[in-house]
Amino acid sequence: MNLFVIGWGCRPEERSRALDALRAMQETYPLLDPGTMGFWNGTRGFAAWMHSNEDVAGPRRYVHRSAGKLVLYDGMVVNPSGTFVAHDAEALAAHRATLSDVLEGSFLVACITDAPPTLEIINDPLGVHPTFVHQDGGTWWVSNSVRLLSRAAGLTSIDVEGMAKLVGLHWPGGDRTLVRGASVLPAAQRWRWTDGSVPERSTYWPWTELAVPHKRSFGGPEARELAVAMGAPLAALSDAFAPLQCPITGGRDSRVLTGLMMSGSLQGDFFSAGEPDDPDVVYGTAIAERFGLPHRRSSRSAAELAAEWDGVVQRVVRKLDGMVTLMHASNALGPTQPLERLPVHLYGVAGEFGRGTWLTEGFVLRRPNVAQAIEFVRRTFDRGSTFLRPEARALVRAHIEESCRALLDQGFEPIDLPYAFSLTEYSRRWGGSQARQGSEHRDVFMPFVTRAYMSAAFATPATERLLERVPYLLLEHLSSELRAMPGQKPWPPRSLAGLLAASATSAPRRLAERVVRRVSRRSPARIGRSRDRQVLLEDLRTRWRERYLDRGEADLWQVVDRERFEFVTSDRMAPAERSRHLVNLYQVVTALAYEEDFRGWAAGGPAGRA
């Protein structure tokens, strides 16, 4: 990881403040090497950075300085064509003009020159590597940490609208963060500052490229072409960073990743997360044994997490800027001792774009109009938090509708609206923040978050997404035996008529399963991750009440019903009933913890309290 802050048009005292802010971040990122701290003090441009130890990060080179020029990057940057090594800042400097044409991954690349004074930044095509910006008149700040940016730029106020969207959507919505004045860089951006105070902005891969009105069937040739396109970056990464950490679960997406690794004969560190009897571990173990793959299991118990809770909260809200729920806190935990190497971890987010995740048979067959499509998106993505005040819920719904209408104006058809919204909002903001978990001790590459996969998925008809033709044919090409192995769900029928017939006959069974799930939420014998989170909730709720209800006011209560939170966390509500609020309760606690910690940080202390 390369933690950085970049300034343009900033005064000497502001540069000094930014350097002090970077030094204060050592407590937040203890695995970064203070010995790598450096800065660039140009006539208009300024930059400061601190990154992973060079021996641990190698062969990565995050920073390159030459006469009158600085190039730095952060994230997982890969050149699938192999024409140059993308994880070397010197190579990025040499190929600066073509970077946006060839690079994939999740990244931010910055170049500063002194003669003439320029600053140029380029982020990844899908915008999943969160890069934060702030403008104050002619002064600009850019960073990969809101925490660092806020101290450098002097930002001290919580963005209440961002908080409302975080609770209602589980991400702040649009380009907002939880700090007023800090926003997120849109996707596929190339910004260039010269003598003026306003950058020239261009979008090098507009998402209108994906607004394909005339779909084409996804068949064998398309599967072979996509397998090659998805395998190329993995091969490039394997050449430099093998073994690649690859999950094996009972789901579709991790199975595609495993198939790509096997097809390319790439060295992998295959793992499954959970207890021995968790389905992901059971299926993952079976796959590993069948194909002779090295395999390990990883897990964190609720008891371990509860014992470390205060420290866990601090690490999660500070490193992830409050934008990842504490319900996933265990995912952000990593080694606290120095690393020997910085591995590359494969993450299967966005595989659902080739499946029917955001569709139903009725929605597809109806061929929805604009109003129906917007309502479908709202029902799909609005978490409907019972903790939000009515005006805050209205704000979340208005944001969804405005976003949908903007996508329709870009040329997306109503039937593609759920996927277009997911691309611009859910995958970019929620998925991008999730990928930041553990960034200090690993890099993350997302093989589905590439131009090749998104282009193939959006060109596929909605009916074929329901039939899951993209992952099915990909796996059939990569390994038909792997495709045929049992998973958590059977493959859908190969025709729409078969799917509709199966849906009709299975409707009573699905209804019964929903009833069982509701009952199981009340059962103390239930095992698995949700059960662990319920146990943790009951262990911690008294501490939450003492911390967040007894210690003064919070801006969050402007959009969240405090009395509702107090009731749900009290003894007046039975644990079985409280478990129904599990997800949203964790989201509210995340926002409260972030606000409390940020206020301490904004007040000028080395760290706030969490």
Side-chain angles (χ1 to χ4, degrees), residues 21 65 89 92 157 184 199 221 263 357 359 425 490 541 572 575:
R65 306 176 68 154
L92 295 175
S157 300
V184 179
S263 177
T357 303
L359 297 174
E425 289 275 336
R541 64 183 177 86
R572 289 177 290 164

Side-chain angles (χ1 to χ4, degrees), residues 113-410:
T113 63
D114 238 3
T118 64
L119 164 63
E120 185 174 39
I121 59 173
I122 304 168
N123 70 335
D124 60 88
L126 294 165
V128 291
H129 187 69
T131 301
F132 308 103
V133 296
H134 169 71
Q135 179 189 11
D136 182 9
T139 301
W140 289 78
W141 294 98
V142 182
S143 181
N144 54 350
S145 165
V146 174
R147 187 175 181 84
L148 175 55
L149 177 77
S150 65
R151 178 71 70 87
L155 307 179
T156 60
S157 300
I158 289 291
D159 187 332
V160 177
E161 183 173 333
M163 285 284 201
K165 292 176 181 177
L166 178 74
V167 174
L169 293 169
H170 296 183
W171 64 89
D175 294 329
R176 302 188 92 92
T177 67
L178 305 184
V179 174
R180 189 182 305 165
S183 60
V184 179
L185 196 68
Q189 295 300 292
R190 192 166 198 145
W191 290 14
R192 180 180 173 84
W193 289 260
T194 53
D195 287 335
S197 59
V198 177
E200 302 171 8
R201 310 182 195 193
S202 62
T203 302
Y204 63 83
W205 193 65
W207 284 345
T208 51
E209 298 276 338
L210 300 175
V212 183
H214 304 293
K215 308 294 186 182
R216 64 176 185 179
S217 179
F218 188 88
E222 288 77 18
R224 291 190 289 274
E225 180 182 345
L226 182 57
V228 170
M230 295 182 70
L234 294 183
L237 290 173
S238 182
D239 287 344
F241 304 113
L244 306 181
Q245 294 180 347
C246 181
I248 314 181
T249 70
R252 310 275 196 249
D253 303 331
S254 67
R255 193 162 301 197
V256 170
L257 300 185
T258 302
L260 289 167
M261 294 286 289
M262 290 168 49
S263 177
S265 299
L266 306 180
Q267 184 182 356
D269 172 18
F270 296 91
F271 70 93
S272 303
E275 297 304 314
D277 56 352
D278 282 354
D280 281 345
V281 175
V282 172
Y283 289 116
T285 301
I287 292 171
E289 290 177 350
R290 172 63 190 86
F291 294 100
L293 304 175
H295 181 250
R296 60 183 172 86
R297 180 182 66 84
S298 63
S299 68
R300 287 270 188 161
S301 71
E304 290 176 310
L305 201 55
E308 302 178 45
W309 183 255
D310 288 344
V312 169
V313 171
Q314 286 186 348
R315 292 199 291 276
V316 172
V317 299
R318 292 174 184 176
K319 292 180 181 180
L320 303 174
D321 298 307
M323 288 181 275
V324 171
T325 172
L326 290 169
M327 191 172 75
H328 300 308
S330 61
N331 295 338
L333 299 180
T336 56
Q337 301 301 316
L339 300 169
E340 294 183 1
R341 62 182 290 269
L342 194 65
V344 172
H345 176 94
L346 304 184
Y347 182 27
V349 69
E352 68 271 10
F353 281 84
R355 297 187 276 108
T357 303
W358 309 124
L359 297 174
T360 64
E361 293 94 332
F363 181 76
V364 172
L365 293 176
R366 178 189 295 174
R367 302 298 301 179
N369 59 31
V370 168
Q372 291 167 336
I374 292 176
E375 176 60 17
F376 185 86
V377 171
R378 188 198 65 75
R379 287 190 285 107
T380 301
F381 291 97
D382 183 354
R383 306 301 179 179
S385 176
T386 57
F387 294 101
L388 281 179
R389 296 182 180 277
E391 59 273 21
R393 293 193 67 178
L395 185 151
V396 170
R397 293 183 177 186
H399 170 74
I400 292 174
E401 180 168 353
E402 290 166 8
S403 300
C404 286
R405 294 197 178 278
L407 290 165
L408 292 166
D409 289 343
Q410 292 178 39

Side-chain angles (χ1 to χ4, degrees), residues 481-505:
E481 185 177 0
L482 176 61
R483 193 272 306 157
M485 288 195 70
Q488 289 195 21
K489 292 195 305 182
W491 290 99
R494 296 295 86 209
S495 69
L496 183 59
L499 177 65
L500 295 175
S503 296
T505 58

